[in-house]
Amino acid sequence: MSEVAIRVESLTFAWPERPPVLQGCSFAIPKGQLWMLLGPNGSGKSTLLQLLSGSLTHPQPLSGHLEICGRLGYVFQNPDHQLFMPTVGADVAFGLGAEALAWAEIHRRVETALEQVGLKHLIRRPIHGLSGGQKQRVAVAGALARRSEVLLLDEPTALLDPDSQAELLRCIRQLVDQEGITALWVTHRLAELEWADGVIFLSEGRVRYQGSPEQVRQQLGQLFGAFRSH
């Protein structure tokens, strides 16, 4: 049985004096796989990702357990919310400032990370001169430079054109296949499921379906078919 990188067990979360946002969610994502977290707006996808990342700590979940095995990286929907430095190389190096690393090691990590996302040739390019897809790959490179083993991506293609969407999907798929990265990718686009190893469908705060993309498509097809037949 594959090692698990992300595990969620019976997780329930609610804001004070409000109905639960998440209700008894359970799933496990094996190491070295790309899974999509699919669901309509308001289903609890972003809340779940924030809980996994540790960015949402108050209030505490009402019940349940979650864990991530490995160093974590987070990619926002809008890359402009996490890219701060003037150039590509400086931004990828930014997160390494908290580590006691020699300059040569920082430079090596930055070059390696940018090579992994296909942007090494842009190491001195100003951030403002990049496309949206390139900015997202710089954000991914920053996580790789910090030796992240698990990536959480919150609708990273929402603001991208179709070509940039495909470019980013190929990049993450390659990192999973060649580098052994584990990725949980939040989406509302059914077309993106073809890139995934597994899919979790979240609705009204509950995990309704999970399995391979083919299995989840079939289950959703049956669900929507039942609605169309009434």
Side-chain angles (χ1 to χ4, degrees), residues 80-142:
D80 290 333
H81 292 166
Q82 69 182 115
L83 303 182
F84 305 108
M85 302 301 286
T87 67
V88 169
D91 204 279
V92 176
F94 179 76
L96 300 176
E99 301 184 40
L101 299 174
W103 167 245
E105 173 64 9
I106 292 175
H107 187 72
R108 187 189 69 79
R109 285 204 199 181
V110 170
E111 285 198 334
T112 299
L114 285 171
E115 187 169 14
Q116 288 175 313
V117 300
L119 294 179
K120 184 178 177 181
H121 62 294
L122 299 181
I123 191 169
R124 294 182 176 82
R125 179 73 61 86
I127 291 290
H128 65 76
L130 301 180
S131 68
Q134 288 171 332
K135 287 180 179 179
Q136 286 293 42
R137 285 192 284 160
V138 171
V140 172

Side-chain angles (χ1 to χ4, degrees), residues 9-207:
E9 296 178 346
S10 303
L11 183 66
T12 296
F13 176 87
W15 295 103
E17 300 180 3
R18 295 185 186 179
V21 180
L22 300 170
Q23 304 183 66
C25 294
S26 296
F27 59 86
I29 298 176
K31 287 186 177 181
Q33 292 192 8
L34 166 59
W35 278 58
M36 299 277 183
L37 179 59
L38 176 71
N41 290 336
S43 61
K45 302 187 303 295
S46 292
T47 298
L48 177 55
L49 215 67
Q50 289 170 25
L51 287 168
L52 285 168
S53 71
S55 61
L56 181 57
T57 57
H58 299 286
Q60 294 292 326
L62 298 179
S63 63
H65 173 74
L66 55 84
E67 64 178 306
I68 291 182
C69 299
R71 182 171 288 194
L72 179 65
Y74 194 103
V75 177
F76 290 67
Q77 182 182 107
N78 187 341
D80 290 333
H81 292 166
Q82 69 182 115
L83 303 182
F84 305 108
M85 302 301 286
T87 67
V88 169
D91 204 279
V92 176
F94 179 76
L96 300 176
E99 301 184 40
L101 299 174
W103 167 245
E105 173 64 9
I106 292 175
H107 187 72
R108 187 189 69 79
R109 285 204 199 181
V110 170
E111 285 198 334
T112 299
L114 285 171
E115 187 169 14
Q116 288 175 313
V117 300
L119 294 179
K120 184 178 177 181
H121 62 294
L122 299 181
I123 191 169
R124 294 182 176 82
R125 179 73 61 86
I127 291 290
H128 65 76
L130 301 180
S131 68
Q134 288 171 332
K135 287 180 179 179
Q136 286 293 42
R137 285 192 284 160
V138 171
V140 172
L144 296 176
R146 297 190 299 276
R147 302 282 175 85
S148 296
E149 302 162 279
V150 178
L151 294 179
L152 303 178
L153 304 106
D154 191 2
E155 296 197 51
T157 58
L159 304 180
L160 304 184
D161 61 67
D163 288 343
S164 295
Q165 291 169 23
E167 183 181 76
L168 184 62
L169 282 158
R170 280 193 296 269
C171 174
I172 298 301
R173 184 71 254 180
Q174 184 174 334
L175 289 171
V176 169
D177 293 338
Q178 297 184 7
E179 307 295 335
I181 295 293
T182 304
L184 178 58
W185 175 301
V186 173
T187 185
H188 61 270
R189 293 188 170 112
L190 287 171
E192 294 185 346
L193 302 190
E194 66 182 82
W195 298 84
D197 296 300
V199 180
I200 300 156
F201 180 72
L202 196 66
S203 176
E204 297 179 337
R206 298 183 184 274
V207 175

